[in-house]
Amino acid sequence: MSETAHRYTAELADRIELAWQDRWEAEGTFDAPNPSGPFADPEKVASYSGGHMLVLDMFPYPSGAGLHVGHPLGYIATDVFSRYHRMLGKNVLHCLGYDAFGLPAEQYAVQTGQHPRVTTEANIDIMARQLRRLGLGLDNRRAIRTMDPDYYRWTQWIFLQIFNAWYDTEAERADGGRGRARPIAELVEEYASGARPLPAEDGRDWADLSPAEQADIVDSHRLAYASEAPVNWAPGLGSVVANEEVTNEGRSERGNFPVFKRNLRQWMMRITAYSDRLADDLDRVQWPDKVKAMQRNWIGRSHGARVAFPVAGLPEVDPIEVFTTRPDTLFGATFMVLAPEHPLVDALVPAGEWAPGTNPAWTGGEASPEAAVTAYRRAASRKSDVERQIEGKDKTGVFTGAYAVNPATGAEIPVFVADYVLMGYGTGAIMAVPGQDERDWHFADNFDLPRIRTVQPTEGHPEDEAFTGEGPAINSANDEIDLNGKPVAEAKAAMIDWLVERGHGEATVSYKLRDWLFSRQRYWGEPFPIVFDADGVAHGVPESMLPVELPEVPDYSPRTFDPDDAASEPEPPLGRVREWVEVDLDLGDGRGVQRYRRETNTMPNWAGSCWYYLRYLDPENREELVSAATEEYWIGPRETPVAGAPKGTVDPGGVDLYIGGVEHAVLHLLYARFWHKVLFDLGHVSSEEPFRTYFSQGYIQAPAYRDDRGQPVEASEVEEVVGDSGAVSFTWQGQPVTREFGKIGKSLKNMVSPDDMYAAYGADTLRLYEMGMGPLDQSKPWDTRAIVGSQRFLQRLWRNVVDEESGEVRVVDEPVDDATLRVLHRTIDAVRRDYDELGFNTAIARLIELNNALTKLERVPRDAAEQLVLMVAPLAPHIAEELWSRLGHAESLTHADFPVADPALLVEDTVTCVVQIRGKVRDRLEVASDITEDELREKALALPKVVDATAGGVRTVIVRAPRLVNVVPM
RNA sequence: GCGCGAGUGGCGGAACAGGUAGACGCGCCAGAUUUAGGUUCUGGUGCCUUCGGGUGUGCGGGUUCGAGUCCCGCCUCGCGCACCA
């Protein structure tokens, strides 16, 4: 034990931190008042001079492994930002809930027989303790959990809103655009009154239709609908998954099982109705360009044309509709290709044998078109996405035996079936233009089909390749239209005009985005508030019957199958609870008590996370999801749009700062935007976007080590060996291992727990280290050795205020000297700018510099120390509170005013001027900061080094007073 | 292949608007304290150097009085998408 009994050690930090965490909790320091409702405190709300701000993190999934040091990075950043803005006088709401439904808890439950609620609650407790120890300033009254019935009743309520809505593409919006969701009852009304013509043209009125026919029409409009459609079925997982959850390799993100396209009856969300708004409104939010690009790419809007190709000799068959982005190349369409699943295929295929003279390569080795198509379709349906991927560019297909007429040339061109054309994009059929499309070129190669170039390739372009570039049209004229010589864009426009005029097609837009598969065959998720009547018609459960609670089941596991058994059928666990599934209800629709069957699928994990930020605002509201006043207060549109938005942009509202990982760029962040827009259309929220500013934080990577077999070894047991030459190598149990940097976790055996950091350094040191490592949006390697630097800073800060031996406050009540005052105010100015822009690493560097300056003083003036403590507070709140308190302040500094820089003190009297010769620094001058150019030039030219260099004369002198002179000799 | 981003000391990273490259921290070196180790404190630390200076921000060119920063062409790495007609 040294005599420095009051040194800032890990033990002292621990005592200070726990004490302040208790006090914050007892005083409700971070409880943010609402303007009305359960958390109302209008007086307090009005007292905030700086307005209000909502700062959120993507909420965590409570996994069993607890936190590692990578998790809190974003939480610390939002906490620092929140604390800073509280000191600017704002009512800051920062809180954190739990994404509690999900697969890992269910899988664990299957293994152990423990109810997933029990394990999830235990995990939440562990996480909550670890997060509390970090000193986050959260309003814990709002820590919602998606698995609680009080929460998911509103998830179900939103589902019903979507179920009971349709997208009216003609309806006008407030912003002047067209298209918005409307209640389904209004659609029924319009049909019933005759205001809207019925889709079927058999002359009957709405009232003449049977209830089942009416239901069919209504259901086909709903934004949430059950439909039989090709979905991603993962037999090994026992569940279907969304497109967004299928990996590049065609496997399920969860469990890594093969995924098959299967026609199954599942719940879908009509997110495609919002394609344009989801793409366009990205201009209105402040998000990283990368994430905007990812969403735009996922939505995949492309402009082109729809063209109809009549089928030769079959006037009764519908023409084949294709989508093309290159209508200008129509003259080069020498064949057509339909997706194997295309509904028109059966009608096209002629009966009987192949026509005499059919190219044997087209027949797939079968005796008739029908046999060939059937065999090809069967083979295609058996292929998993993995296999499709592996086959890659090797184009396969068979001839259907049918020909279509190219409307531009009148030529009869063969129609093929091939799986390189996807049913889910465009119309599921293409016009093949081998001259201008690589894939079509390859197919033409394989099947000996003609190729006509319709764009003049640039010089030197290989003879044996498609030309996809820009150039004048060639070979593109008939009696009515001549594109030859026109550049691509002009030719496109001319062709579209001609197509429209002749009734062959029209300009159109196509999207990659598809409707969202919304049901899962799992136990641990939200039940659908849906029941089916005896006719199989789906009915929404009345609001008064919400929540539809998740029943207890004897067995949590869905039925899983051999991972490659594509023909297996999903069987959700809830289907086994007959007494829950079969239910007598009065839905209040005049039918009285009837027997119904409940929907046994559950909602995907994304459901709860789609809207949790809204429930934070008003978590105890029993009547509404969120009250209008509260929603508008926290996330209503602001007067000024976000920085960087195009001119004339109207602010969409939303969370002021949302921080989370980029892995959710096209999942959570797209789904939440979709739900929010539906809620906006239906009048439940005033904001049009959920997150007006989103920031994606980087990952913290930690060193991981592998032995000579490539197996990870326990990183904490690895020793570093420094060789004679200074080269560093690593060993584990005596054997050499190699180092890499990777995601922290069990799989790489490189876990670093925050608990160990709390024990060795304290939470403030950990916070400071994580914020000081580098820019927040960058990934960076964890280095436990380097944390000590952050601890040393806090120790020096502590020592500047508290005497280490006596424990007494050692600041003096003397005015701050002029030099120190200038350093102080420059620091205030810089730190404010850094905090505003989440530049915490540079803010910390500034604070260390200021602290080092104070260390050099014989006596530390109180005023300088206090301002420094206030500036450190957002980053290291416990030590700051403790020092603030020891400096004689009874109140927490949470709402103390953040220091303000005096502009007068930012102007320096003298500055260092560099004197360059030919652009290289050769000397320096101390000059008055208001020195004139002429004076400075004179001084610089008089310097001995300059005199030497300019003996042969001066060509030019550049003067940028007061900082720089550049002399260029002859 | 397409899209986005990044290459700066031994390491993490600074550098507002083209104007002192390497702030701050780790590590390393030296000294002080300590019985010693550790801790803590003080000073030094891009590279080369004949101690005058030379050189230096992935590579090659360009613009400029002046380039880490702007332009053109490459290379490498990371991330995302990927038969999207």
Side-chain angles (χ1 to χ4, degrees):
Chain A
M1 190 69 195
S2 67
E3 65 269 57
T4 49
H6 298 272
R7 167 164 293 175
Y8 182 76
T9 59
E11 292 75 33
L12 180 57
D14 193 63
R15 284 204 300 280
I16 292 171
E17 288 169 3
L18 294 178
W20 279 99
Q21 284 157 14
D22 288 346
R23 178 165 163 191
W24 291 333
E25 185 174 282
E27 294 180 1
T29 305
F30 306 107
D31 291 354
N34 276 355
S36 58
F39 296 149
D41 192 341
E43 236 170 83
K44 202 168 166 198
V45 165
S47 74
Y48 291 99
S49 58
H52 55 85
M53 180 177 253
L54 177 60
V55 181
L56 295 179
D57 306 276
M58 286 185 188
F59 66 170
Y61 177 80
S63 88
L67 294 180
H68 61 67
V69 290
H71 285 118
L73 184 72
Y75 307 151
I76 299 170
T78 47
D79 189 49
V80 176
F81 195 72
S82 302
R83 287 174 181 272
Y84 168 60
H85 280 277
R86 281 191 198 100
M87 296 175 78
L88 296 180
K90 293 194 175 100
N91 183 15
V92 178
L93 172 52
H94 185 209
C95 54
L96 196 69
Y98 294 91
D99 192 13
F101 277 131
L103 208 48
E106 180 177 300
Q107 284 170 337
Y108 188 71
V110 170
Q111 284 163 27
T112 62
Q114 281 252 46
H115 196 287
R117 186 183 303 109
V118 175
T119 51
T120 303
E121 275 175 352
N123 292 344
I124 288 175
D125 287 346
I126 293 169
M127 268 196 159
R129 179 182 56 73
Q130 288 179 311
L131 292 173
R132 184 185 193 271
R133 187 64 190 77
L134 196 57
L136 300 179
L138 301 171
D139 184 343
N140 283 316
R141 303 170 303 171
R142 305 179 190 241
I144 56 89
R145 315 188 302 184
T146 56
M147 66 177 180
D148 290 338
D150 277 348
Y151 179 85
Y152 70 67
R153 73 172 290 163
W154 294 106
T155 309
Q156 293 171 337
W157 181 87
I158 295 171
F159 177 86
L160 287 176
Q161 297 300 309
I162 300 172
F163 176 73
N164 286 319
W166 63 296
Y167 202 78
D168 182 352
T169 52
E170 297 305 311
E172 208 167 320
R173 293 195 303 267
D175 66 5
R178 285 194 183 276
R180 65 177 159 84
R182 296 174 58 196
I184 202 87
E186 294 178 12
L187 178 71
V188 174
E189 238 165 71
E190 288 182 15
Y191 280 141
S193 70
R196 177 173 292 269
L198 291 177
E201 292 154 9
D202 59 5
R204 286 188 294 164
D205 285 340
W206 180 252
D208 299 337
L209 303 180
S210 72
E213 285 172 312
Q214 290 182 348
D216 267 356
I217 293 173
V218 170
D219 288 352
S220 72
H221 282 84
R222 295 183 187 275
L223 288 181
Y225 60 98
S227 92
E228 177 106 6
V231 296
N232 308 299
W233 163 236
L237 188 67
S239 182
V240 297
V241 293
N243 293 329
E244 290 82 351
E245 296 168 299
V246 180
T247 65
N248 280 348
E249 289 78 39
R251 303 177 82 94
S252 63
E253 211 161 65
R254 286 280 176 204
N256 201 31
F257 293 108
V259 167
F260 299 88
K261 275 271 180 285
R262 277 283 309 280
N263 268 322
L264 294 170
R265 189 169 175 78
Q266 294 291 326
W267 283 95
M268 309 290 285
M269 290 248 169
R270 208 177 299 278
I271 189 172
T272 50
Y274 284 83
S275 299
D276 279 321
R277 284 163 72 188
L278 289 170
D280 292 342
D281 285 354
L282 288 170
D283 286 338
R284 300 167 68 186
V285 294
Q286 189 166 53
W287 286 21
D289 287 342
K290 179 193 163 123
V291 178
K292 287 188 183 184
M294 283 165 74
Q295 290 214 350
R296 285 202 184 95
N297 188 34
W298 190 261
I299 294 164
R301 177 165 55 187
S302 53
H303 297 269
R306 208 170 268 257
V307 186
F309 286 66
V311 181
L314 293 174
E316 74 282 4
V317 175
D318 290 338
I320 302 169
E321 290 255 340
V322 304
F323 171 74
T324 177
T325 55
R326 295 294 301 276
D328 59 304
T329 65
L330 181 54
F331 283 91
T334 53
F335 61 100
M336 302 191 76
V337 184
L338 306 191
E341 306 88 359
H342 197 288
L344 223 49
V345 172
D346 290 322
L348 290 177
V349 178
E353 310 260 300
W354 293 105
T358 300
N359 186 336
W362 295 7
T363 63
E366 302 286 338
S368 68
E370 199 184 333
V373 168
T374 307
Y376 187 80
R377 290 176 117 181
R378 186 181 305 136
S381 73
R382 284 222 196 99
K383 273 190 221 170
S384 69
D385 287 4
V386 191
E387 288 165 305
R388 274 199 177 192
Q389 202 85 31
I390 289 165
E391 283 169 20
K393 296 239 148 49
D394 188 25
K395 302 275 176 296
T396 62
V398 291
F399 180 42
T400 59
Y403 289 83
V405 180
N406 181 324
T409 63
E412 295 198 355
I413 57 177
V415 180
F416 287 77
V417 170
D419 66 3
Y420 83 91
V421 172
L422 310 172
M423 193 57 226
Y425 183 76
T427 62
I430 62 160
M431 62 180 213
V433 187
Q436 271 73 232
D437 185 282
E438 282 175 33
R439 297 151 301 181
D440 297 346
W441 182 282
H442 285 127
F443 192 86
D445 235 10
N446 289 354
F447 291 85
D448 198 20
L449 288 156
R451 294 178 277 233
I452 302 170
R453 290 201 190 274
T454 57
V455 177
Q456 181 67 52
T458 44
E459 218 169 276
H461 183 80
E463 282 286 303
D464 57 348
E465 272 180 27
F467 176 71
T468 56
E470 186 67 39
I474 53 173
N475 302 322
S476 297
N478 62 23
D479 295 345
E480 298 175 4
I481 177 169
D482 183 355
L483 305 178
N484 289 333
K486 289 192 200 316
V488 171
E490 225 174 279
K492 278 186 191 176
M495 177 55 87
I496 289 172
D497 287 346
W498 181 77
L499 288 170
V500 170
E501 205 174 293
R502 301 303 315 256
H504 294 312
E506 58 184 352
T508 182
V509 184
S510 192
Y511 305 87
K512 285 195 228 172
L513 185 69
R514 303 185 210 169
D515 279 345
W516 173 19
L517 173 63
F518 193 71
S519 42
R520 300 289 185 278
Q521 291 73 51
R522 318 283 346 170
Y523 171 70
W524 192 228
E526 299 87 349
F528 281 76
I530 290 287
V531 293
F532 296 95
D533 64 23
D535 298 325
V537 174
H539 298 265
V541 169
E543 259 179 58
S544 59
M545 295 184 194
L546 298 183
V548 176
E549 287 210 42
L550 193 58
E552 299 301 319
V553 294
D555 176 11
Y556 310 112
S557 51
R559 172 128 183 248
T560 57
F561 302 87
D562 183 294
D564 295 312
D565 181 7
S568 51
E569 291 283 336
E571 279 179 35
L574 292 186
R576 294 182 210 128
V577 202
R578 179 178 295 183
E579 61 280 14
W580 181 79
V581 174
E582 315 244 331
V583 61
D584 295 321
L585 291 174
D586 181 352
L587 297 186
D589 52 5
R591 291 165 31 130
V593 174
Q594 301 253 327
R595 172 133 285 216
Y596 295 94
R597 265 187 71 81
R598 290 192 190 276
E599 170 61 58
T600 56
N601 284 308
T602 52
M603 299 188 199
N605 198 205
W606 312 109
S609 62
C610 260
W611 71 281
Y612 70 107
Y613 56 93
L614 288 171
R615 194 58 180 170
Y616 280 156
L617 307 179
D618 208 359
E620 290 183 4
N621 190 329
R622 308 291 306 168
E623 277 74 48
E624 296 166 285
L625 173 96
V626 54
S627 86
T630 300
E631 186 269 340
E632 205 178 336
Y633 175 73
W634 289 112
I635 63 169
R638 302 251 167 160
E639 271 173 39
T640 39
V642 295
K647 234 182 145 189
T649 298
V650 176
D651 184 67
V655 176
D656 292 294
L657 177 65
Y658 193 46
I659 293 188
V662 75
E663 70 271 19
H664 291 120
V666 287
L667 294 160
H668 160 62
L669 285 174
L670 190 65
Y671 298 149
R673 293 182 64 216
F674 164 50
W675 276 32
H676 199 96
K677 285 183 185 302
V678 177
L679 290 174
F680 171 78
D681 282 353
L682 298 177
H684 299 301
V685 292
S686 68
S687 43
E688 291 187 66
E689 285 283 335
F691 315 114
R692 73 198 295 270
T693 305
Y694 161 65
F695 186 95
S696 79
Q697 99 264 10
Y699 297 104
I700 291 184
Q701 301 179 311
Y705 304 86
R706 292 180 192 275
D707 61 19
D708 52 8
R709 295 185 324 248
Q711 292 303 307
V713 301
E714 188 52 52
S716 57
E717 298 165 7
V718 169
E719 289 175 48
E720 188 177 311
V721 184
V722 182
D724 299 334
S725 59
V728 178
S729 60
F730 304 93
T731 61
W732 178 73
Q733 297 187 349
Q735 53 168 312
V737 291
T738 56
R739 184 175 69 168
E740 65 189 83
F741 282 86
K743 243 185 154 167
I744 302 175
K746 275 186 288 192
S747 57
L748 282 177
K749 295 192 176 174
N750 61 348
M751 186 73 179
V752 186
S753 167
D755 294 345
D756 298 338
M757 300 303 124
Y758 299 147
Y761 305 99
D764 279 336
T765 295
L766 175 64
R767 292 168 59 109
L768 208 55
Y769 174 65
E770 295 215 4
M771 291 299 98
M773 290 171 84
L776 191 60
D777 56 352
Q778 253 173 51
S779 291
K780 49 234 147 180
W782 178 263
D783 182 6
T784 298
R785 271 192 314 192
I787 300 188
V788 70
S790 304
Q791 190 186 32
R792 285 180 194 149
F793 165 52
L794 293 182
Q795 284 178 330
R796 289 197 296 268
L797 171 68
W798 180 263
R799 195 153 48 228
N800 277 334
V801 179
V802 178
D803 187 294
E804 286 192 336
E805 270 131 63
S806 67
E808 298 293 310
V809 170
R810 55 178 287 262
V811 299
V812 293
D813 291 305
E814 285 175 13
V816 185
D817 70 273
D818 197 58
T820 306
L821 203 58
R822 284 172 188 282
V823 174
L824 172 64
H825 281 259
R826 274 208 304 276
T827 305
I828 294 170
D829 184 54
V831 166
R832 272 183 172 253
R833 270 205 310 272
D834 288 341
Y835 277 171
D836 285 338
E837 294 157 21
L838 306 175
F840 303 129
N841 54 329
T842 47
I844 290 168
R846 297 297 196 150
L847 293 167
I848 292 174
E849 281 179 309
L850 174 60
N851 190 54
N852 289 347
L854 297 189
T855 303
K856 287 196 172 64
L857 301 176
E858 261 171 51
R859 295 183 303 277
V860 178
R862 165 180 293 273
D863 193 47
E866 291 199 340
Q867 307 241 44
L868 174 57
V869 165
L870 289 172
M871 284 192 283
V872 166
L875 290 157
H878 312 89
I879 190 175
E881 288 272 28
E882 182 68 18
L883 292 174
W884 188 247
S885 149
R886 290 188 184 217
L887 284 162
H889 302 274
E891 291 265 305
S892 160
L893 51 60
T894 301
H895 297 285
D897 289 336
F898 199 85
V900 181
D902 178 354
L905 289 166
L906 299 177
V907 188
E908 290 158 283
D909 295 340
T910 66
V911 296
T912 307
C913 172
V914 291
V915 181
Q916 299 179 334
I917 296 171
R918 281 197 199 86
K920 306 227 179 235
V921 179
R922 282 297 123 94
D923 212 340
R924 291 182 165 82
L925 281 169
E926 277 302 311
V927 298
S929 55
D930 58 354
I931 191 167
T932 65
E933 286 202 1
D934 290 342
E935 270 180 281
L936 188 56
R937 176 182 292 114
E938 205 174 306
K939 275 198 173 188
L941 288 174
L943 287 167
K945 283 182 186 171
V946 176
V947 171
D948 282 357
T950 57
V954 175
R955 181 154 36 186
T956 175
V957 182
I958 310 283
V959 183
R960 294 282 178 273
R963 293 247 177 224
L964 177 127
V965 179
N966 188 11
V967 180
V968 184
M970 294 302 270

